[in-house]
Short mmCIF file of all heavy atoms in Angstrom, two decimals:
data_model
loop_
_atom_site.label_atom_id
_atom_site.label_comp_id
_atom_site.label_asym_id
_atom_site.label_seq_id
_atom_site.Cartn_x
_atom_site.Cartn_y
_atom_site.Cartn_z
N LEU A 121 -42.93 47.67 3.73
CA LEU A 121 -41.92 48.34 4.54
C LEU A 121 -40.67 47.47 4.71
O LEU A 121 -39.55 47.95 4.69
CB LEU A 121 -42.51 48.70 5.91
CG LEU A 121 -43.58 49.81 5.88
CD1 LEU A 121 -44.20 49.98 7.26
CD2 LEU A 121 -42.98 51.12 5.40
N TYR A 122 -40.89 46.16 4.86
CA TYR A 122 -39.76 45.24 4.96
C TYR A 122 -38.92 45.25 3.69
O TYR A 122 -37.70 45.38 3.72
CB TYR A 122 -40.25 43.83 5.27
CG TYR A 122 -39.16 42.79 5.19
CD1 TYR A 122 -38.21 42.67 6.20
CD2 TYR A 122 -39.05 41.94 4.08
CE1 TYR A 122 -37.21 41.73 6.12
CE2 TYR A 122 -38.04 41.00 4.01
CZ TYR A 122 -37.13 40.89 5.03
OH TYR A 122 -36.12 39.97 4.96
N LEU A 123 -39.59 45.14 2.55
CA LEU A 123 -38.86 45.12 1.27
C LEU A 123 -38.18 46.45 1.01
O LEU A 123 -37.06 46.50 0.48
CB LEU A 123 -39.81 44.78 0.12
CG LEU A 123 -40.36 43.34 0.12
CD1 LEU A 123 -41.39 43.17 -0.99
CD2 LEU A 123 -39.24 42.34 -0.03
N ALA A 124 -38.81 47.54 1.38
CA ALA A 124 -38.20 48.86 1.17
C ALA A 124 -36.95 49.04 2.03
O ALA A 124 -36.04 49.78 1.66
CB ALA A 124 -39.21 49.95 1.49
N SER A 125 -36.90 48.34 3.17
CA SER A 125 -35.74 48.49 4.05
C SER A 125 -34.59 47.55 3.69
O SER A 125 -33.50 47.67 4.21
CB SER A 125 -36.15 48.24 5.50
OG SER A 125 -36.45 46.86 5.69
N LEU A 126 -34.82 46.59 2.78
CA LEU A 126 -33.79 45.61 2.45
C LEU A 126 -32.48 46.23 1.98
O LEU A 126 -31.41 45.82 2.42
CB LEU A 126 -34.31 44.62 1.42
CG LEU A 126 -35.09 43.43 1.98
CD1 LEU A 126 -35.51 42.51 0.85
CD2 LEU A 126 -34.29 42.68 3.01
N PRO A 127 -32.45 47.19 1.05
CA PRO A 127 -31.16 47.75 0.62
C PRO A 127 -30.34 48.28 1.78
O PRO A 127 -29.14 48.15 1.82
CB PRO A 127 -31.55 48.85 -0.35
CG PRO A 127 -32.90 48.45 -0.86
CD PRO A 127 -33.56 47.76 0.30
N GLN A 128 -31.02 48.89 2.78
CA GLN A 128 -30.28 49.41 3.93
C GLN A 128 -29.84 48.27 4.84
O GLN A 128 -28.76 48.31 5.40
CB GLN A 128 -31.17 50.39 4.69
CG GLN A 128 -31.49 51.61 3.84
CD GLN A 128 -32.65 52.40 4.39
OE1 GLN A 128 -33.39 51.91 5.23
NE2 GLN A 128 -32.80 53.62 3.92
N VAL A 129 -30.66 47.23 4.97
CA VAL A 129 -30.31 46.11 5.82
C VAL A 129 -29.13 45.34 5.25
O VAL A 129 -28.21 44.94 5.95
CB VAL A 129 -31.52 45.17 6.00
CG1 VAL A 129 -31.12 43.89 6.70
CG2 VAL A 129 -32.61 45.88 6.79
N LEU A 130 -29.13 45.15 3.91
CA LEU A 130 -28.10 44.34 3.27
C LEU A 130 -26.86 45.12 2.86
O LEU A 130 -25.86 44.53 2.49
CB LEU A 130 -28.69 43.65 2.04
CG LEU A 130 -29.85 42.69 2.33
CD1 LEU A 130 -30.39 42.12 1.03
CD2 LEU A 130 -29.42 41.59 3.26
N SER A 131 -26.92 46.44 2.88
CA SER A 131 -25.75 47.21 2.44
C SER A 131 -24.63 47.08 3.46
O SER A 131 -24.86 46.88 4.65
CB SER A 131 -26.11 48.68 2.26
OG SER A 131 -26.50 49.24 3.49
N GLN A 132 -23.39 47.21 2.97
CA GLN A 132 -22.24 47.08 3.85
C GLN A 132 -21.84 48.44 4.38
O GLN A 132 -21.96 49.44 3.70
CB GLN A 132 -21.06 46.46 3.08
CG GLN A 132 -21.35 45.06 2.60
CD GLN A 132 -20.18 44.49 1.85
OE1 GLN A 132 -19.14 45.10 1.74
NE2 GLN A 132 -20.34 43.30 1.32
N PRO A 133 -21.36 48.49 5.60
CA PRO A 133 -20.93 49.77 6.16
C PRO A 133 -19.70 50.28 5.45
O PRO A 133 -18.96 49.53 4.83
CB PRO A 133 -20.63 49.42 7.63
CG PRO A 133 -20.34 47.96 7.63
CD PRO A 133 -21.18 47.38 6.53
N ALA A 134 -19.47 51.59 5.56
CA ALA A 134 -18.32 52.20 4.89
C ALA A 134 -17.02 51.62 5.43
O ALA A 134 -16.07 51.41 4.69
CB ALA A 134 -18.35 53.71 5.10
N THR A 135 -16.95 51.38 6.73
CA THR A 135 -15.77 50.78 7.31
C THR A 135 -16.12 49.36 7.73
O THR A 135 -16.96 49.16 8.59
CB THR A 135 -15.29 51.58 8.54
OG1 THR A 135 -15.07 52.92 8.13
CG2 THR A 135 -14.02 50.98 9.11
N ARG A 136 -15.46 48.40 7.10
CA ARG A 136 -15.78 47.00 7.34
C ARG A 136 -14.83 46.39 8.36
O ARG A 136 -13.74 46.89 8.58
CB ARG A 136 -15.72 46.21 6.04
CG ARG A 136 -16.86 46.58 5.13
CD ARG A 136 -16.75 45.81 3.87
NE ARG A 136 -16.19 46.69 2.87
CZ ARG A 136 -15.86 46.30 1.66
NH1 ARG A 136 -16.00 45.06 1.32
NH2 ARG A 136 -15.38 47.14 0.81
N ASP A 137 -15.25 45.29 8.93
CA ASP A 137 -14.44 44.55 9.88
C ASP A 137 -13.26 43.93 9.14
O ASP A 137 -13.45 43.08 8.28
CB ASP A 137 -15.30 43.48 10.54
CG ASP A 137 -14.50 42.70 11.59
OD1 ASP A 137 -13.30 42.97 11.78
OD2 ASP A 137 -15.11 41.82 12.20
N LYS A 138 -12.05 44.35 9.46
CA LYS A 138 -10.87 43.87 8.74
C LYS A 138 -10.49 42.43 9.10
O LYS A 138 -9.59 41.86 8.53
CB LYS A 138 -9.69 44.81 9.00
CG LYS A 138 -9.93 46.16 8.35
CD LYS A 138 -8.82 47.12 8.68
CE LYS A 138 -9.00 48.45 8.01
NZ LYS A 138 -10.31 49.04 8.09
N ASN A 139 -11.18 41.85 10.09
CA ASN A 139 -10.94 40.46 10.44
C ASN A 139 -11.77 39.50 9.62
O ASN A 139 -11.67 38.30 9.77
CB ASN A 139 -11.22 40.23 11.92
CG ASN A 139 -10.24 40.98 12.80
OD1 ASN A 139 -9.05 41.00 12.51
ND2 ASN A 139 -10.73 41.61 13.84
N LYS A 140 -12.61 40.03 8.73
CA LYS A 140 -13.45 39.20 7.88
C LYS A 140 -12.94 39.25 6.45
O LYS A 140 -12.35 40.25 6.03
CB LYS A 140 -14.90 39.68 7.92
CG LYS A 140 -15.53 39.51 9.29
CD LYS A 140 -16.95 39.98 9.29
CE LYS A 140 -17.58 39.81 10.66
NZ LYS A 140 -18.94 40.36 10.72
N ASN A 141 -13.18 38.20 5.70
CA ASN A 141 -12.74 38.13 4.31
C ASN A 141 -13.58 39.04 3.43
O ASN A 141 -14.78 39.15 3.61
CB ASN A 141 -12.83 36.71 3.78
CG ASN A 141 -11.76 35.82 4.37
OD1 ASN A 141 -10.70 36.31 4.72
ND2 ASN A 141 -12.03 34.55 4.49
N HIS A 142 -12.95 39.67 2.47
CA HIS A 142 -13.62 40.47 1.45
C HIS A 142 -13.00 40.11 0.11
O HIS A 142 -11.90 39.56 0.05
CB HIS A 142 -13.45 41.97 1.71
CG HIS A 142 -13.95 42.40 3.05
ND1 HIS A 142 -15.27 42.42 3.38
CD2 HIS A 142 -13.28 42.81 4.16
CE1 HIS A 142 -15.41 42.85 4.62
NE2 HIS A 142 -14.22 43.09 5.12
N ASP A 143 -13.68 40.43 -0.97
CA ASP A 143 -13.09 40.21 -2.29
C ASP A 143 -11.78 40.98 -2.36
O ASP A 143 -11.73 42.16 -2.00
CB ASP A 143 -14.03 40.68 -3.39
CG ASP A 143 -15.28 39.84 -3.43
OD1 ASP A 143 -15.21 38.67 -3.01
OD2 ASP A 143 -16.33 40.35 -3.88
N PRO A 144 -10.71 40.37 -2.86
CA PRO A 144 -9.41 41.04 -2.83
C PRO A 144 -9.32 42.17 -3.85
O PRO A 144 -9.84 42.07 -4.95
CB PRO A 144 -8.43 39.92 -3.18
CG PRO A 144 -9.25 38.95 -3.96
CD PRO A 144 -10.63 39.02 -3.40
N MET A 145 -8.68 43.25 -3.46
CA MET A 145 -8.35 44.32 -4.38
C MET A 145 -6.85 44.25 -4.59
O MET A 145 -6.07 44.55 -3.69
CB MET A 145 -8.74 45.69 -3.80
CG MET A 145 -8.38 46.86 -4.70
SD MET A 145 -8.73 48.43 -3.90
CE MET A 145 -10.49 48.38 -3.80
N VAL A 146 -6.44 43.78 -5.74
CA VAL A 146 -5.03 43.54 -5.98
C VAL A 146 -4.27 44.85 -6.12
O VAL A 146 -3.22 45.06 -5.55
CB VAL A 146 -4.83 42.66 -7.23
CG1 VAL A 146 -3.37 42.48 -7.53
CG2 VAL A 146 -5.49 41.31 -7.01
N MET A 147 -4.82 45.79 -6.88
CA MET A 147 -4.14 47.06 -7.09
C MET A 147 -5.14 48.12 -7.47
O MET A 147 -6.12 47.85 -8.15
CB MET A 147 -3.08 46.92 -8.20
CG MET A 147 -2.21 48.16 -8.37
SD MET A 147 -0.82 47.87 -9.47
CE MET A 147 0.19 46.84 -8.44
N VAL A 148 -4.92 49.33 -7.03
CA VAL A 148 -5.76 50.45 -7.42
C VAL A 148 -4.86 51.52 -8.02
O VAL A 148 -3.67 51.58 -7.71
CB VAL A 148 -6.54 51.03 -6.22
CG1 VAL A 148 -7.53 50.03 -5.68
CG2 VAL A 148 -5.61 51.49 -5.12
N PRO A 149 -5.38 52.39 -8.92
CA PRO A 149 -4.55 53.44 -9.51
C PRO A 149 -3.93 54.31 -8.42
O PRO A 149 -4.58 54.69 -7.46
CB PRO A 149 -5.54 54.23 -10.37
CG PRO A 149 -6.63 53.26 -10.67
CD PRO A 149 -6.73 52.38 -9.46
N GLY A 150 -2.66 54.61 -8.57
CA GLY A 150 -1.96 55.47 -7.62
C GLY A 150 -1.35 54.72 -6.45
O GLY A 150 -0.69 55.31 -5.60
#
């Protein structure tokens, strides 16, 4: 049960804390 729950535990929320560093996205189409 612990291992099965890992993807949900480690996944990032759709809206992240903007005060924390993330990999930079330099440019996206459009």
Side-chain angles (χ1 to χ4, degrees):
L121 291 174
Y122 171 75
L123 292 175
S125 70
L126 275 181
Q128 295 164 345
V129 171
L130 299 177
S131 63
Q132 296 180 4
T135 304
R136 290 179 259 174
D137 182 359
K138 292 176 178 46
N139 294 318
K140 295 181 180 175
N141 287 332
H142 302 291
D143 294 334
M145 179 185 293
V146 177
M147 187 170 288
V148 295

